[in-house]
Amino acid sequence: MKFLHPHDDMSVWNQIRHKIQTRDLLVSTLARWRAAGQRIVFTNGCFDLLHYGHLHYLAEARDLGTRLIIGLNSGDSVRRLKGPTRPINDESTRSHMLAALEMVDAVVIFDEDTPLELIKIVLPDVLVKGGDWKPEQIVGSDIVLVRGGEVRSLPFIAGYSTTNIEQKILQ
């Protein structure tokens, strides 16, 4: 017997897969959410090995609105940013892991070095990054701010990073 969400006739696996969207599909999804008056939050990253710090960050990001969209760096994009040994997990694994999280509403893979083109499509109400970024340093902040949106930098949880996990495994 399958356990389904009371408002959805899709299996849990299909619910996860449904959250992984193309840019074109995301446009119609965004229209539906905006018509319902929902506040759209956007963040991006590699999310190579999910850890406690990621979960904390994504939960905080989701608390800033009613829908959370993640721009996920493609494998090629991660390699350009992090080097030839990364990503550890492939795009399919990373996107499905994120989509399985309750606080995540959509995952869109992007191949560029920055999510700027994706941000132009999403036009989020809230743009979020983690770390010590000043809001004006965050890619796409100008696009969000000119529309009256909000740009936030959420602190990382010390000691949690994919790089730390990678180094620990290699020791």
Side-chain angles (χ1 to χ4, degrees), residues 23-36:
R23 291 177 195 212
D24 289 342
L25 182 57
L26 185 63
V27 169
S28 61
T29 300
L30 283 164
R32 231 178 25 259
W33 291 345
R34 287 209 165 89

Side-chain angles (χ1 to χ4, degrees), residues 43-44 47 52-61 128-130 154:
T43 193
N44 68 281
F47 299 99
Y52 176 82
H54 287 135
L55 297 176
H56 191 272
Y57 167 76
L58 292 172
E60 281 191 319
V128 180
K129 277 299 284 180
L154 301 178

Side-chain angles (χ1 to χ4, degrees), residues 97-155:
M97 294 289 282
L98 288 168
L101 299 175
E102 180 180 345
M103 73 279 273
V104 174
D105 296 290
V107 177
V108 182
I109 296 169
F110 67 96
D111 196 44
E112 301 87 357
D113 289 343
T114 75
L116 184 61
E117 294 307 311
L118 188 52
I119 291 168
K120 289 177 182 177
I121 293 167
V122 174
L123 298 173
D125 299 300
V126 185
L127 175 61
V128 180
K129 277 299 284 180
D132 297 329
W133 294 89
K134 293 178 182 167
E136 61 272 12
Q137 296 173 316
I138 297 172
V139 169
S141 62
D142 53 339
I143 294 165
V144 173
L145 293 171
V146 78
R147 297 182 68 253
E150 189 180 338
V151 179
R152 298 283 298 271
S153 180
L154 301 178

Side-chain angles (χ1 to χ4, degrees), residues 3-170:
F3 293 95
L4 302 176
H5 188 278
H7 304 293
D8 204 331
D9 61 353
M10 283 193 281
S11 70
V12 173
W13 182 247
N14 283 336
Q15 288 176 47
I16 291 167
R17 289 180 52 215
H18 183 73
K19 290 183 187 181
I20 302 167
Q21 301 196 358
T22 63
R23 291 177 195 212
D24 289 342
L25 182 57
L26 185 63
V27 169
S28 61
T29 300
L30 283 164
R32 231 178 25 259
W33 291 345
R34 287 209 165 89
Q38 296 179 336
R39 186 170 159 92
I40 310 299
V41 180
F42 177 87
T43 193
N44 68 281
C46 301
F47 299 99
D48 197 358
L49 295 175
L50 277 182
H51 53 70
Y52 176 82
H54 287 135
L55 297 176
H56 191 272
Y57 167 76
L58 292 172
E60 281 191 319
R62 178 57 157 61
D63 283 342
L64 298 173
T66 48
R67 297 288 183 169
L68 176 61
I69 300 170
I70 298 178
L72 181 65
N73 290 77
S74 70
D76 287 341
S77 178
V78 174
R79 271 185 287 288
R80 288 192 304 270
L81 293 170
K82 304 281 187 177
T85 63
R86 300 279 297 277
I88 294 165
N89 283 311
D90 59 39
E91 282 175 27
S92 179
T93 300
R94 292 182 296 121
S95 61
H96 283 82
M97 294 289 282
L98 288 168
L101 299 175
E102 180 180 345
M103 73 279 273
V104 174
D105 296 290
V107 177
V108 182
I109 296 169
F110 67 96
D111 196 44
E112 301 87 357
D113 289 343
T114 75
L116 184 61
E117 294 307 311
L118 188 52
I119 291 168
K120 289 177 182 177
I121 293 167
V122 174
L123 298 173
D125 299 300
V126 185
L127 175 61
V128 180
K129 277 299 284 180
D132 297 329
W133 294 89
K134 293 178 182 167
E136 61 272 12
Q137 296 173 316
I138 297 172
V139 169
S141 62
D142 53 339
I143 294 165
V144 173
L145 293 171
V146 78
R147 297 182 68 253
E150 189 180 338
V151 179
R152 298 283 298 271
S153 180
L154 301 178
F156 282 136
I157 304 293
Y160 291 94
S161 75
T162 299
T163 301
N164 287 351
I165 294 170
E166 184 182 28
Q167 289 172 353
K168 191 173 185 178
I169 291 168
L170 294 173

